[in-house]
Amino acid sequence: MKRIISKGVKIVVALISLIAFFMGATGCFAQYVSDSPVVIDETDRTETIVQKIEIDKVWAGHPVGFCLLTKENRQYIAYYNANRNMVVGQRNLNEDNFELYLLPPTKREEAGGTSTVLDWDSHNFVTLGIDKEGFIHLSGNVHVNPLTYFRSEKPNDISQMKQIFEMVGTEEKRTTYPHFMLTKEGELLYHYRDGGSGNGNEIYNIYDTKTKSWKRLLDTPLTDGQGLMNAYQTQPTVMKDGWYHIYWVWRDTPDCSTNHDLSYMKSPDLKNWYNASGEQIQMPATIDDQSLIVDPIPVKGGIINLSARLVLDDDNQPVFAYHKYDPEGNVQLYTAQLKNDEWIYKQITDWDYRWEFSGNGSINTEVRLKDFRKRDDGCYELGYWHIKYGNGTILLNDKFERIGKVLKPEPFGNRLQAKGDFPGLLVQTGGDLGESPEEDIRYMLKWETLNPNRDRPRPNPWPEPSRLVLYKIKATH
């Protein structure tokens, strides 16, 4: 029998949590409610569209990531238009339209390998960053290609972007996965993979606003595949302990089935790095340092790049959720919690399905992890999407054992239907790299494309360009 916590009795749950707090109890409230599986109903927490802005027509032949960045009362975008040319735009949040600017179209064979024209590669997303003086930086359209990088001529104004062909001048001919990020001190970083899939290093640069120049943040790469592999890693993220945390899987070849060894490290300053037990490590991080491995998942063991999520427990120790194959060969979700310097693994699903992924290029996802977070009631929840089982949210106690589920409203993206009539069109969405200044408001982009084609050209006919739309969305409680 399941214990259902409905909307009508949520106040009881809140009182139980409050009583537990004053009694000095810790952990998930469900321990005090019932030993049977718990179902928490949160389907009333819906979202409503409060504004819709049609921006432009965009290429629909295959998906590639666009960028939206909100900074205070300004909003910036970067994308590829119907002709696959790179476009940037801006608006004040109180305006109903974007000012759009076409970057000079350049093809690789004409510009030394850089390009602002999209080919067929779904890896070639475009991204933005803003330094502490307000200048806007753009990079993108690279997948083992020379650096493509622009910087605005004026602060808080994307209308004039100047292409800069070098940052540091070395390790910039085979760049992939460009990202901008800010340090705790507000300094702008740029990081990317130097090299190819299965053979690459992660490089970090830091920007000097006084000299308007870049230099290496580290004397060595952050991760080094030693010519044998490369790390598919997350961006360093500051968590509740005030440290940067990063995790990755290693991949031996361009074949995605050769991912292996979920790994992790942390740092107070992005320069000195430590393993999960707090021991400083020698940089760069390599597969040889076994202390960095969370779960020694083998090649073809069911993990794929960027398929894990991280939270910190009450002791600020790392806890991971990820997928891999169980002994029967089915893909399952697991947690790994550090206790007394040892990783404790728990299987939290019992799915009867095997996601068999392999090969090169962009693939279609069949299992996706969503948010992994601590709830206000002391429990943890892990969201997922599964090609067979759909969307769901697992409820975990503070030992990271499955104790039930959380019923959520239908994901907002599921409400957005493809309007084009070309067979196979799918809705694509992009979140905001920034943050809305209004409480309970978020922004997202929506457009339509065919699915990835492992980065290979599609024969004609191609779909008509689709509409790129901005939604302003308000959460209800």
Side-chain angles (χ1 to χ4, degrees):
M1 178 180 295
K2 296 180 179 179
R3 171 68 70 94
I4 299 178
I5 302 176
S6 66
K7 302 171 191 176
V9 298
K10 285 180 183 177
I11 189 170
V12 176
V13 173
L15 288 172
I16 291 171
S17 300
L18 189 62
I19 292 169
F21 173 80
F22 283 111
M23 291 178 63
T26 60
C28 178
F29 79 83
Q31 296 178 25
Y32 307 104
V33 176
S34 174
D35 292 329
S36 60
V38 176
V39 179
I40 301 176
D41 188 344
E42 295 180 351
T43 54
D44 58 335
R45 299 186 181 184
T46 57
E47 292 183 311
T48 304
I49 298 171
V50 295
Q51 185 182 22
K52 176 182 176 182
I53 297 176
E54 292 200 2
I55 301 170
D56 199 356
K57 291 185 177 181
V58 298
W59 169 248
H62 71 288
V64 66
F66 297 164
C67 187
L68 173 69
L69 176 55
T70 305
K71 179 69 180 296
E72 297 173 349
N73 69 334
R74 296 278 284 168
Q75 198 165 60
Y76 307 96
I77 54 172
Y79 62 94
Y80 300 98
N81 68 8
N83 296 320
R84 298 198 254 184
N85 295 326
M86 197 178 291
V87 178
V88 296
Q90 62 187 3
R91 73 174 184 122
N92 293 320
L93 290 181
N94 61 357
E95 297 173 338
D96 293 333
N97 294 289
F98 282 88
E99 301 170 357
L100 302 179
Y101 307 93
L102 178 71
L103 294 184
T106 57
K107 296 187 177 180
R108 299 199 191 281
E109 59 272 18
E110 301 168 352
T114 70
S115 176
T116 58
V117 180
L118 178 68
D119 201 349
W120 284 96
D121 196 328
S122 289
H123 292 83
N124 287 13
F125 61 84
V126 60
T127 190
L128 298 169
I130 303 177
D131 65 40
K132 61 185 179 182
E133 292 188 346
F135 287 86
I136 304 154
H137 302 247
L138 176 150
S139 186
N141 201 27
V142 291
H143 187 201
V144 198
N145 297 119
L147 173 75
T148 297
Y149 166 62
F150 290 78
R151 184 170 66 237
S152 68
E153 298 276 58
K154 300 177 182 178
N156 310 309
D157 184 357
I158 208 169
S159 64
Q160 298 180 51
M161 300 291 285
K162 178 181 179 182
Q163 184 166 10
I164 299 169
F165 291 90
E166 291 184 349
M167 279 189 175
V168 175
T170 61
E171 288 81 42
E172 294 177 353
K173 299 300 183 183
R174 303 178 74 232
T175 69
T176 305
Y177 303 127
H179 291 282
F180 296 100
M181 64 169 285
L182 296 176
T183 68
K184 291 185 286 187
E185 296 76 28
E187 303 295 337
L188 184 67
L189 301 183
Y190 177 81
H191 65 97
Y192 61 96
R193 185 185 73 197
D194 169 48
S197 179
N199 181 8
N201 303 327
E202 194 71 14
I203 305 293
Y204 277 73
N205 297 337
I206 187 168
Y207 187 67
D208 187 329
T209 54
K210 293 181 180 179
T211 63
K212 290 184 168 49
S213 62
W214 294 88
K215 65 180 179 180
R216 289 281 187 262
L217 175 68
L218 302 169
D219 295 331
T220 66
L222 192 63
T223 58
D224 188 345
Q226 302 171 300
L228 302 173
M229 60 190 70
N230 78 273
Y232 279 87
Q233 66 179 59
T234 61
Q235 183 164 280
T237 302
V238 179
M239 302 189 74
K240 64 187 181 75
D241 62 348
W243 283 47
Y244 297 92
H245 298 259
I246 191 169
Y247 52 98
W248 66 94
V249 293
W250 294 103
R251 186 192 284 190
D252 290 346
T253 75
D255 185 336
C256 62
S257 69
T258 65
N259 287 297
H260 58 93
D261 290 291
L262 178 62
S263 304
Y264 161 84
M265 62 185 178
K266 60 183 180 179
S267 171
D269 55 11
L270 292 172
K271 295 183 178 180
N272 299 286
W273 289 88
Y274 299 80
N275 63 24
S277 298
E279 301 165 335
Q280 188 165 7
I281 65 172
Q282 185 70 33
M283 299 301 292
T286 70
I287 190 65
D288 296 331
D289 190 342
Q290 298 291 296
S291 74
L292 301 179
I293 296 176
V294 175
D295 190 339
I297 302 168
V299 167
K300 299 185 177 181
I303 195 166
I304 200 167
N305 39 297
L306 304 182
S307 63
R309 296 291 182 269
L310 169 67
V311 297
L312 300 183
D313 64 17
D314 291 336
D315 297 319
N316 285 333
Q317 294 298 308
V319 184
F320 286 91
Y322 54 99
H323 63 68
K324 65 176 181 178
Y325 296 142
D326 66 13
E328 285 72 43
N330 291 319
V331 66
Q332 307 291 356
L333 300 186
Y334 288 79
T335 60
Q337 181 181 20
L338 190 70
K339 283 290 187 181
N340 300 320
D341 295 332
E342 292 187 6
W343 291 103
I344 308 300
Y345 311 114
K346 294 173 183 174
Q347 181 179 327
I348 59 172
T349 58
D350 189 23
W351 292 331
D352 182 19
Y353 185 86
R354 179 180 177 87
W355 176 21
E356 187 73 54
F357 52 85
S358 64
N360 302 2
S362 302
I363 68 170
N364 294 313
T365 301
E366 296 186 6
V367 178
R368 184 182 304 116
L369 295 186
K370 298 183 179 180
D371 288 341
F372 185 29
R373 67 178 187 91
K374 186 175 182 180
R375 298 165 49 85
D376 292 340
D377 53 38
C379 299
Y380 293 80
E381 65 178 41
L382 172 64
Y384 66 85
W385 173 84
H386 191 290
I387 193 171
K388 179 178 179 180
Y389 299 103
N391 290 288
T393 302
I394 298 170
L395 185 68
L396 304 165
N397 62 18
D398 51 10
K399 297 179 181 177
F400 297 91
E401 302 162 329
R402 182 171 187 161
I403 58 171
K405 62 183 178 180
V406 184
L407 302 179
K408 300 283 187 178
E410 182 181 17
F412 180 83
N414 288 8
R415 295 160 50 187
L416 303 176
Q417 302 298 318
K419 295 185 177 180
D421 56 7
F422 195 91
L425 278 177
L426 302 171
V427 170
Q428 307 293 339
T429 60
D432 190 351
L433 292 184
E435 185 174 317
S436 168
E438 298 179 81
E439 187 177 359
D440 296 328
I441 291 291
R442 70 182 181 96
Y443 294 90
M444 65 175 287
L445 297 174
K446 178 259 184 181
W447 67 105
E448 299 168 18
T449 75
L450 298 179
N451 64 4
N453 194 41
R454 291 193 179 263
D455 306 327
R456 296 190 296 263
R458 275 192 167 94
N460 266 315
W462 302 327
E464 293 293 319
S466 69
R467 290 281 183 181
L468 177 63
V469 178
L470 174 82
Y471 288 110
K472 179 180 180 180
I473 304 165
K474 181 176 179 60
T476 59
H477 298 288

